[in-house]
Amino acid sequence: MSTTSPRRRAAMFVGGDDDPRLGAPSTGEERAMLTGFLRTQRTTLELKCAGVEGKLDRRSVEPSTLSLLGLVRHLADVERRWFRQVLAGQDAPPRFSSSAEPDGDFDGAVSAPDLVTGAWQAWRGEVAFADAFTGDAPHLDIAGQDAWRGTVSLRWVLIHMIEEYARHNGHADLLRERIDGAIGV
């Protein structure tokens, strides 16, 4: 007999007071709200990957190369692109993809412990840079030049990053469920 009751797919992934995503502001200053939403999305990715470290490279279904580890690597490159390259103007090439391997972030995602550790270190480093850059910015209207979009503001990048994480966290939901059956928002 099961000791757990059935769960709704829309239930929280982490129970009640243990959920680190519940502290984001729902009122107040724009920057705090945007960075709070982005922090919640970033934390959701970490939660979806927690506890299955040896299976992070597990693919969704053939022929897709989509995996949780691939998402971590991809989002490290996305953070790097928008905050370092576009807004800070740094010469910071992607860590996991290139023109020769445009899907290297996903294709190279294999469950070797050093690669998993390196992916998390890269992602956390890029998140730390983005958070510091955003916190130090004098306002949300500072802008950078992107070859794809033209001029973009910090405000636009924050909104885009929330959208990027939200989309990929939907993928993470399905990948995690396929690995061990875990469901929840």
Side-chain angles (χ1 to χ4, degrees), residues 59-65 178:
R59 307 298 195 211
S60 56
V61 291
E62 295 294 331
S64 176
T65 59
R178 184 163 171 80

Side-chain angles (χ1 to χ4, degrees), residues 25-59:
S26 56
T27 61
E29 192 264 329
E30 182 181 20
R31 185 187 318 229
M33 291 184 72
L34 289 171
T35 57
F37 267 96
L38 182 52
R39 185 174 37 260
T40 296
Q41 291 296 325
R42 289 170 175 159
T43 302
T44 298
L45 176 68
E46 286 186 289
L47 290 172
K48 291 294 178 170
C49 293
V52 291
E53 284 74 12
K55 298 178 183 177
L56 287 175
D57 66 329
R58 196 117 167 244
R59 307 298 195 211

Side-chain angles (χ1 to χ4, degrees), residues 1-8 11 183:
M1 180 171 184
S2 175
T3 59
T4 61
S5 56
R7 288 184 44 138
R8 286 190 65 221
I183 60 172

Side-chain angles (χ1 to χ4, degrees), residues 89-178:
Q90 294 182 358
D91 180 17
R95 293 174 178 265
F96 302 107
S97 59
S98 66
S99 56
E101 294 183 72
D103 288 327
D105 42 2
F106 291 102
D107 295 343
V110 295
S111 195
D114 58 329
L115 291 178
V116 173
T117 299
W120 280 117
Q121 286 174 342
W123 180 78
R124 287 188 177 104
E126 296 307 326
V127 167
F129 178 87
D131 285 348
F133 182 89
T134 302
D136 292 343
H139 49 77
L140 296 177
D141 293 321
I142 65 163
Q145 290 299 311
D146 177 55
W148 173 49
R149 300 286 304 184
T151 302
V152 295
S153 69
L154 174 56
R155 177 182 288 103
W156 184 91
V157 169
L158 288 170
I159 293 168
H160 173 67
M161 292 301 296
I162 293 166
E163 176 271 331
E164 182 86 12
Y165 272 93
R167 178 170 15 100
H168 290 311
N169 281 336
H171 298 133
D173 286 339
L174 297 171
L175 289 161
R176 181 60 189 259
E177 184 176 7
R178 184 163 171 80

